[in-house]
Amino acid sequence: GKSKRKWSYIIGPLIAASLALGIFVPNYFLNNPPVNPIIRTMETNTVIDINNPREVVGFSDNVFLGKVIKQVGRKPLNGYPETQFEVEVNDNIKGELKGTIKVNQQGGYDGEYLFLMENDKLLVEGQTYLFATRYLKEENWHTVIPVGGDIPFNSDEEKKELIEKYKKAYKEEIP
């Protein structure tokens, strides 16, 4: 009798712990985003108009076309999540980037929340964008300027229009 009772004190908590680990650990290790995240918008406090291409280009270290290969990390800076992506550089408008680089985007998942800077959607793997970025040497990544610094395009016509618009903005940039 006592032996069976002693085992039940050990087995019961082990079963409960196993169930809890089975439910919570996969999302912890796999970093799967929640199905229906609660969206929180962060406001930027920039010195530029993020909707004005001339100011965006003037504030940027690099302006280029690139394809998002995959998400490669998450790291909170200044108390908010930031998400890093591997991006293949296709064409430069400003700067001389080559190959594959790490692009950082302010915003990302933190538990059940999705934080977005100025409601700027997270980058999508496989999508091609016009990027306007500032280089952060300490992290060796290029941070996207929200809204005006990650513009998706889907056709050659859209690509051509963006290149023309941003080459002109580069010639007339407002530093």
Side-chain angles (χ1 to χ4, degrees):
K2 282 189 176 185
S3 176
K4 285 183 181 179
R5 196 175 309 140
K6 187 172 21 172
W7 279 107
S8 68
Y9 290 124
I10 295 171
I11 300 285
L14 281 176
I15 291 172
S18 297
L19 286 171
L21 288 174
I23 292 169
F24 297 109
V25 169
N27 281 338
Y28 180 78
F29 286 113
L30 297 175
N31 285 327
N32 290 334
V35 177
N36 293 312
I38 300 167
I39 297 175
R40 298 278 188 239
T41 300
M42 302 179 294
E43 303 261 333
T44 185
N45 194 8
T46 62
V47 293
I48 65 164
D49 177 356
I50 58 177
N51 294 300
N52 182 335
R54 293 175 53 211
E55 289 187 37
V56 168
V57 172
F59 189 67
S60 300
D61 296 321
N62 297 283
V63 179
F64 60 96
L65 305 178
K67 182 176 183 179
V68 177
I69 306 301
K70 64 181 178 180
Q71 181 182 325
V72 294
R74 292 182 190 168
K75 183 174 184 177
L77 292 180
N78 301 318
Y80 291 103
E82 300 201 14
T83 308
Q84 296 79 47
F85 299 88
E86 181 179 295
V87 172
E88 180 183 340
V89 177
N90 296 330
D91 295 304
N92 286 291
I93 294 172
K94 179 180 180 180
E96 298 179 6
L97 297 175
K98 293 180 183 166
T100 303
I101 62 168
K102 190 184 289 186
V103 169
N104 178 61
Q105 185 177 26
Q106 297 169 307
Y109 292 95
D110 185 10
E112 62 186 28
Y113 295 97
L114 171 57
F115 289 89
L116 298 174
M117 181 65 72
E118 296 291 337
N119 249 349
D120 193 22
K121 292 181 173 38
L122 285 182
L123 300 176
V124 176
E125 292 180 8
Q127 176 69 52
T128 306
Y129 294 84
L130 178 131
F131 288 103
T133 64
R134 292 190 49 93
Y135 183 66
L136 181 58
K137 185 177 180 180
E138 297 80 20
E139 298 289 347
N140 190 30
W141 66 38
H142 303 264
T143 299
V144 171
I145 294 173
V147 182
D150 58 344
I151 302 170
F153 61 90
N154 296 307
S155 69
D156 287 339
E157 186 178 316
E158 287 179 72
K159 175 182 175 180
K160 183 181 174 189
E161 288 174 15
L162 278 173
I163 290 172
E164 287 176 13
K165 180 178 183 177
Y166 277 79
K167 279 186 175 181
K168 183 176 187 231
Y170 182 33
K171 287 178 186 173
E172 302 170 354
E173 70 181 336
I174 302 172

